[in-house]
């Protein structure tokens, strides 16, 4: 099963589609809804570009103007709703993202792939700093999640659960890696240290 190439790939566009799935809205209301429902913590949200996203969705026939609102002396606001094509796009796009694992490139993974450029003791120090920050995130995240459970159904908190689980998993991995490195049990750690002490690149590092 492979996801098709889409006319729009910005995840914010999908967030807008699912927000309009709830009811027609003007862009400012879309932004307010994304914020109030906490979607800005799981989707990179640039509110300044949200109007452009809505315009692109309209250009491709996924949303359409359903009316104009005016409140008091405020400027008129254009209200947008989903088209049938927009509903289909939303369902297909969301289904692909849920079903098909995609290769992502988190910046921490990039740093890990390049960390041999730093001495092992420095990497240990830096990862200890990271672990400390992760443990704070886990503790505060658990507390925040418990509070949210009091007011929201779990269905609307699964992405927060997932985020917390990923932070916990990262902390567990960093903790184990640090333990291996400190004890000298990490394969290649002595060659790694030798290189930074002498400038001599081990033969194993060039193959």
């Amino acid at each position: 099963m492979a996801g098709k190439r889409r006319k729009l790939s910005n995840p914010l566009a999908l967030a807008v589609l699912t927000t309009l799935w709830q009811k027609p809205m003007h862009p400012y209301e879309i932004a307010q809804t994304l914020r109030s429902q906490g979607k800005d913590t799981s989707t990179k949200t640039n509110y300044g570009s949200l109007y452009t996203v809505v315009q692109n969705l309209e250009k491709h026939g996924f949303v359409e103007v359903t009316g104009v609102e005016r409140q008091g002396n405020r400027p008129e606001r254009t209200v947008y709703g989903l088209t049938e094509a927009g509903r289909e796009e939303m369902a297909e796009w969301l289904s692909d993202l849920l079903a098909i694992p995609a290769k992502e490139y988190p910046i921490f993974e990039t740093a890990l792939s390049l960390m041999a450029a730093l001495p092992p003791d420095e990497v240990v120090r830096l990862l200890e700093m990271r672990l400390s920050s992760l443990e704070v995130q886990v503790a505060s995240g658990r507390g925040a999640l418990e509070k949210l459970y009091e007011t929201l159904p779990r269905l609307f908190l699964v992405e927060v659960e997932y985020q917390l689980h990923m932070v916990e998993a990262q902390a567990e991995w960093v903790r184990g890696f640090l333990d291996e490195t400190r004890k000298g049990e990490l394969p290649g750690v002595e060659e790694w240290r030798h290189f930074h002490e002498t400038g001599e690149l081990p033969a194993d590092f060039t193959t």
Side-chain angles (χ1 to χ4, degrees):
M1 183 179 181
K4 72 177 186 181
R5 187 176 183 84
R6 304 202 170 275
K7 295 176 180 177
L8 297 174
S9 59
N10 183 352
L12 181 56
L14 178 58
V16 169
L17 289 175
T18 57
T19 303
L20 291 178
W21 168 74
Q22 300 172 45
K23 67 170 186 174
M25 302 181 195
H26 52 74
Y28 182 72
E29 186 179 6
I30 293 171
Q32 286 184 312
T33 302
L34 288 170
R35 189 181 290 112
S36 67
Q37 294 180 350
K39 303 311 176 189
D40 54 347
T41 66
S42 53
T43 303
K44 187 175 182 180
T45 306
N46 182 341
Y47 293 109
S49 65
L50 190 138
Y51 284 84
T52 302
V53 169
V54 173
Q55 289 171 355
N56 285 334
L57 287 168
E58 183 183 20
K59 174 184 174 183
H60 291 293
F62 297 140
V63 305
E64 62 185 359
V65 176
T66 61
V68 176
E69 287 184 0
R70 178 188 285 277
Q71 293 182 345
N73 295 323
R74 293 179 179 177
E76 290 183 344
R77 289 173 171 170
T78 303
V79 177
Y80 295 88
L82 282 185
T83 63
E84 188 57 37
R87 290 181 181 276
E88 292 178 4
E89 179 71 6
M90 179 200 70
E92 290 180 6
W93 192 355
L94 187 54
S95 297
D96 280 351
L97 292 178
L98 288 171
I100 305 170
K103 173 60 181 173
E104 299 177 29
Y105 296 89
I107 197 66
F108 181 48
E109 185 177 319
T110 300
L112 289 174
S113 74
L114 304 171
M115 69 179 183
L118 296 176
D121 292 341
E122 177 66 3
V123 169
V124 166
R125 185 185 71 81
L126 295 169
L127 288 180
E128 286 173 341
M129 291 172 58
R130 185 181 192 90
L131 180 59
S132 178
S133 296
L134 290 171
E135 288 172 340
V136 170
Q137 287 183 42
V138 168
S140 61
R142 283 199 190 114
L145 190 57
E146 290 304 318
K147 285 289 185 183
L148 290 170
Y149 282 144
E150 295 174 5
T151 56
L152 290 171
R154 187 181 171 207
L155 173 63
F156 301 115
L157 296 172
V158 290
E159 76 276 17
V160 182
E161 289 183 4
Y162 176 77
Q163 290 165 7
L164 180 58
H165 181 75
M166 291 298 100
V167 175
E168 290 173 330
Q170 186 182 142
E172 181 180 358
W173 183 87
V174 171
R175 197 176 291 113
F177 182 82
L178 282 170
D179 190 52
E180 279 188 284
T181 307
R182 291 192 197 101
K183 293 178 179 178
E185 296 175 354
L186 178 71
V189 68
E190 292 307 320
E191 291 84 351
W192 179 15
R193 179 171 284 108
H194 180 75
F195 167 69
H196 281 280
E197 290 173 349
T198 67
E200 298 174 5
L201 190 65
D204 291 348
F205 284 19
T206 61
T207 57

